Amino acid sequence: MAERHEHQSLLNEDDEDEDHYQNSMNPVCDPNHLLHRIVVLIFMCFLGFGSYFCYDNPAALQTQVIQDMNLNTASFMQLYAWYSWPNVVLCFLGGFLLDRVFGIRLGTIIFALFVLLGQIIFAAGALANHFWLMEVGRFVFGIGGESLAVAQNTYAVNWFKGKELNLVFGLQLSMARLGSTVNMNIIGWVYGRIQTMTGSAGHTTLGITLMISACTCLFSLICALVLGFLDRRAERILNKEQGKTGEVIKLTDVKDFPISLWLIFIICVGYYVAIFPFIGLGQVFFIEKFTFTPVQARAINSIVYIISAPASPLLGFLVDKTGRNVMWVLLAVVTTLISHMMLAFTLWNPWIAMSILGLSYSLLACALWPMVAFVVAEHQLGTAYGFMQSIQNLGLALISMAAGAILDSKGYLFLEVFFIACVCLALIAVVLLYLYDYIKEGELNLSASTRAKRAKALSESSE
């Protein structure tokens, strides 16, 4: 009894020492303090900056890449296809690797290394004038890119789970869009400066430009190392476990997916294949059709990302407060269709259509992805989201190649008609989803207040 009392006293003394240690720490160094978590948030937001900056390097340098490497458009779009191919599989494995193999800290560093290595190989391919090596670089870059985003979200949940989490996700998305926007508007200028210094354009100038872009990936790797150190330190001080992604992938669950989820998958593919490949080819489109200068073309091509940065958190808040997800998705798809039709069949100022496209893109992301949680059980969420991302990347890979071939053989008008057809497919799927949900009395198009009442009633009945 005396030994037990003595042991308890020692434990109490250890707890008092730990409390005193934490209370004596500077707020910036205290993992429990808001100031310290803000420091962590800064590194967390910049973790994906390099990946998003370099992802659209080909789009920002479309003319230069095609000319310097002697490519046609179909070959150029392979750079986007090779990024997407590894993510057809890694969407299922990324969370597993982070949870069971590497751990979040080591996994984040490894994926950031893949992003950096891929960009260096991409730049080396241009320097050596070997396009196949550039394709290898984009493949390696793709291995790290999407999985790094999963790691970034896991860090956010681990540090900000609770009332701050939605704000943190919004800030991360805004920083990602900032990286894309800075790339679109800066990298062409960098190419021009290097061309002036070297005295001529060519694959060497392109390679140097892409190698400079790799510095942003190096910066993101440094952020991954700092985050790993801070998270390990917090784990030691607070006696907490490493964060988990929460992704439990079971491919056998696919056979149990409801029809509404498959319709959501169709909307996702039909919509996004009309956005990202269009941006990848947009610069030359605005130069040829609207006689813009390269600087103007890069600026308008980036407007989708510029608008998305501040609009995504605000529109996400709006959807949360109102509900009616299907109607918001329908609005986003219809306005996107109108935008593409304006770009294809009119000579109206394209800033109007691209601004509408930026708002529509932001709205769809806020309304579509949360719907998955309403139609599948919680234990199937990891599989559902993994399958959705896998199908999205498969669609992007195939449509990127198709878009390049269409542009080479038919021109931009036919390409826009092709994108319009993709959006029409998404529109048909949205209408079918609305009808199916209405017949089944589902939750997808309920108001936020009605959802809350239904959830409360279900909780009371289960009790």
Side-chain angles (χ1 to χ4, degrees):
M1 188 71 178
E3 290 178 356
R4 179 181 174 186
H5 179 73
E6 183 179 352
H7 179 67
Q8 186 64 40
S9 299
L10 289 172
L11 287 176
N12 291 336
E13 287 177 7
D14 289 341
D15 291 340
E16 289 175 2
D17 290 342
E18 186 176 338
D19 292 340
H20 176 72
Y21 172 67
Q22 290 186 28
N23 291 333
S24 63
M25 273 195 294
N26 187 299
V28 178
C29 301
D30 183 1
N32 276 322
H33 201 279
L34 178 62
L35 286 177
H36 182 79
R37 287 187 291 133
I38 289 175
V39 172
V40 172
L41 177 60
I42 292 172
F43 287 104
M44 204 179 293
C45 287
F46 280 108
L47 180 62
F49 183 87
S51 174
Y52 283 95
F53 182 94
C54 293
Y55 170 76
D56 269 324
N57 275 175
L61 296 170
Q62 179 185 350
T63 303
Q64 293 89 337
V65 172
I66 290 175
Q67 290 179 353
D68 295 347
M69 302 303 296
N70 298 315
L71 307 176
N72 58 22
T73 312
S75 298
F76 168 78
M77 289 303 289
Q78 289 282 354
L79 296 175
Y80 283 99
W82 280 109
Y83 174 90
S84 296
W85 284 125
N87 293 300
V88 175
V89 176
L90 279 175
C91 289
F92 292 103
L93 296 179
F96 173 80
L97 292 174
L98 287 172
D99 284 349
R100 308 289 176 85
V101 181
F102 302 131
I104 180 63
R105 293 188 287 266
L106 179 59
T108 303
I109 294 169
I110 289 173
F111 291 135
L113 275 170
F114 268 105
V115 168
L116 175 60
L117 180 62
Q119 182 65 17
I120 291 174
I121 296 173
F122 182 49
L127 284 170
N129 199 21
H130 293 314
F131 184 67
W132 65 267
L133 188 58
M134 296 179 72
E135 291 178 309
V136 171
R138 290 293 284 185
F139 183 85
V140 175
F141 185 86
I143 292 174
E146 295 293 317
S147 297
L148 187 62
V150 174
Q152 187 179 34
N153 292 338
T154 306
Y155 266 127
V157 172
N158 193 29
W159 279 86
F160 295 95
K161 189 174 183 178
K163 63 181 181 180
E164 300 159 331
L165 186 58
N166 288 329
L167 174 61
V168 169
F169 275 128
L171 290 172
Q172 286 185 344
L173 180 60
S174 296
M175 185 57 66
R177 296 296 169 251
L178 178 63
S180 301
T181 302
V182 172
N183 162 69
M184 287 286 190
N185 291 280
I186 293 296
I187 201 65
W189 175 84
V190 173
Y191 182 95
R193 296 292 296 174
I194 295 172
Q195 181 181 348
T196 302
M197 293 170 59
T198 58
S200 64
H203 65 88
T204 302
T205 301
L206 177 64
I208 295 172
T209 304
L210 295 175
M211 198 65 76
I212 291 173
S213 295
C215 295
T216 61
C217 299
L218 177 61
F219 175 64
S220 292
L221 175 60
I222 293 171
C223 290
L225 293 168
V226 174
L227 268 177
F229 168 76
L230 293 175
D231 193 67
R232 182 178 180 84
R233 178 176 176 273
E235 180 184 63
R236 176 173 52 81
I237 294 174
L238 302 178
N239 295 317
K240 65 176 184 177
E241 296 182 358
Q242 284 198 53
K244 302 290 184 181
T245 64
E247 296 182 11
V248 180
I249 306 298
K250 294 182 179 178
L251 292 180
T252 53
D253 289 339
V254 173
K255 69 180 187 303
D256 299 323
F257 285 167
I259 294 176
S260 53
L261 184 60
W262 290 105
L263 290 172
I264 291 173
F265 290 163
I266 295 173
I267 296 167
C268 176
V269 175
Y271 187 87
Y272 282 108
V273 296
I275 299 294
F276 294 122
F278 170 75
I279 293 175
L281 295 169
Q283 182 180 336
V284 176
F285 169 71
F286 292 115
I287 292 174
E288 291 187 0
K289 180 169 183 177
F290 298 98
T291 63
F292 282 7
T293 65
V295 174
Q296 291 173 323
R298 285 193 292 269
I300 193 170
N301 204 31
S302 66
I303 194 66
V304 172
Y305 295 142
I306 293 174
I307 291 176
S308 178
S312 294
L314 297 176
L315 291 174
F317 177 78
L318 177 64
V319 174
D320 283 340
K321 288 297 182 182
T322 60
R324 308 284 184 188
N325 289 60
V326 179
M327 297 308 297
W328 288 117
V329 171
L330 179 62
L331 176 62
V333 173
V334 169
T335 50
T336 299
L337 181 61
I338 293 172
S339 300
H340 273 293
M341 293 178 71
M342 289 170 60
L343 292 168
F345 304 121
T346 75
L347 290 173
W348 296 350
N349 191 327
W351 285 97
I352 301 172
M354 291 299 288
S355 297
I356 296 173
L357 190 62
L359 288 171
S360 304
Y361 164 72
S362 304
L363 179 59
L364 182 118
C366 296
L368 181 69
W369 291 84
M371 286 202 296
V372 175
F374 293 118
V375 298
V376 299
E378 186 174 349
H379 71 276
Q380 293 179 323
L381 276 178
T383 305
Y385 276 119
F387 203 80
M388 188 171 177
Q389 289 177 310
S390 179
I391 292 177
Q392 181 192 24
N393 278 284
L394 178 61
L396 287 172
L398 295 174
I399 297 302
S400 293
M401 293 188 296
I406 291 171
L407 185 56
D408 281 334
S409 59
K410 300 293 184 180
Y412 275 104
L413 179 59
F414 277 85
L415 180 62
E416 273 296 337
V417 171
F418 176 68
F419 287 144
I420 289 171
C422 292
V423 179
C424 286
L425 175 64
L427 179 60
I428 294 170
V430 175
V431 174
L432 292 176
L433 179 63
Y434 173 81
L435 294 174
Y436 182 84
D437 187 69
Y438 179 78
I439 294 171
K440 292 291 185 178
E441 297 183 352
E443 296 185 40
L444 296 181
N445 206 41
L446 295 178
S447 66
S449 58
T450 305
R451 279 178 188 160
K453 291 176 183 177
R454 179 180 287 194
K456 184 179 180 181
L458 287 174
S459 177
E460 290 175 350
S461 64
S462 63
E463 289 176 0

